[in-house]
Amino acid sequence: MKTERQKMLDGELYDAWNPELVAAREQARSLCMRINGMEPADPARREALVQLLGAGGDTASVTSPFFCDYGSNIALGERVFFNFNCVVLDVCRVTIGSFTLFGPAVQIYTAMHPLDAALRRQQEYGKPVEIGSDVWVGVGATMLPGVRIGSRAVIGAGSVVSRDVPDAVFAAGNPCRVIRDIGAADPNPATRS
């Protein structure tokens, strides 16, 4: 028999009010509050990030405030950066590759609710989100449950990503769509006159 936690991680209907899950969310919120209240250079802040996140807290750069549901379902590669006010609802796994950058107020959601109201009162479910390496996500962008963003992609500010985005493209809008490929010959805007 699967636990409610295993059902949750597997994307099946589960009881979010299960005592084990409630305790895990409360622990994550306590850690987020502690992290958000500490000085950036405080070594205890790094320890709290390592304790909160499933992987990658040892090299992540997280600008407060930062919020998540569980934390333990978030796996980061090397040197992932979250700017101010990011939210990750990680009822399913959120996997983020190395050197990925998130602008302020980026939201990553894995949580879903049934359309049937009676069922919604008792259960919910989720879909995992996967974000590749070297991705740049602009300010205020939202990643919806079940999406995959390929490595080296750039997501424009305010975009709502509701379907997969391939590698090495610039995608933007609501709904987010591919605007163009990003090539090795793209000019560096910092060198334009």
Side-chain angles (χ1 to χ4, degrees):
M1 183 69 119
K2 285 186 178 182
T3 65
E4 294 302 308
R5 180 177 188 82
Q6 191 58 53
K7 290 180 197 174
M8 176 182 79
L9 291 171
D10 288 346
E12 299 172 10
L13 288 171
Y14 71 95
D15 176 8
W17 297 107
N18 171 269
E20 176 193 0
L21 296 179
V22 171
R25 285 194 305 273
E26 288 174 355
Q27 179 183 8
R29 290 190 178 123
S30 292
L31 284 166
C32 285
M33 286 179 63
R34 191 163 30 149
I35 290 163
N36 292 337
M38 291 181 178
E39 292 292 325
D42 187 336
R45 188 174 193 276
R46 174 67 59 200
E47 291 171 21
L49 273 172
V50 169
Q51 188 179 356
L52 174 67
L53 300 173
D58 55 332
T59 64
S61 180
V62 177
T63 308
S64 295
F66 174 82
F67 305 97
C68 64
D69 266 342
Y70 294 93
S72 59
N73 302 326
I74 302 170
L76 307 179
E78 185 180 347
R79 291 181 46 200
V80 172
F81 173 75
F82 286 95
N83 211 320
F84 297 100
N85 210 30
C86 289
V87 175
V88 182
L89 298 188
D90 61 314
V91 303
C92 280
R93 289 179 177 84
V94 174
T95 306
I96 300 169
S98 296
F99 306 104
T100 289
L101 309 172
F102 295 98
V106 167
Q107 302 167 64
I108 302 170
Y109 298 132
T110 66
M112 303 276 295
H113 299 280
L115 295 178
D116 178 82
L119 185 57
R120 191 169 53 237
R121 290 181 199 136
Q122 298 174 10
Q123 294 184 307
E124 59 185 58
Y125 66 104
K127 295 181 182 178
V129 170
E130 182 182 342
I131 301 170
S133 296
D134 293 301
V135 174
W136 174 24
V137 179
V139 61
T142 302
M143 272 50 62
L144 295 180
V147 300
R148 182 196 175 278
I149 299 173
S151 292
R152 301 174 316 285
V154 176
I155 306 298
S159 296
V160 177
V161 182
S162 58
R163 57 183 164 253
D164 292 353
V165 173
D167 292 350
V169 297
F170 171 63
N174 181 4
C176 188
R177 68 188 189 294
V178 174
I179 305 297
R180 68 179 181 89
D181 289 339
I182 299 172
D186 278 343
N188 180 349
T191 62
R192 291 184 193 156
S193 35

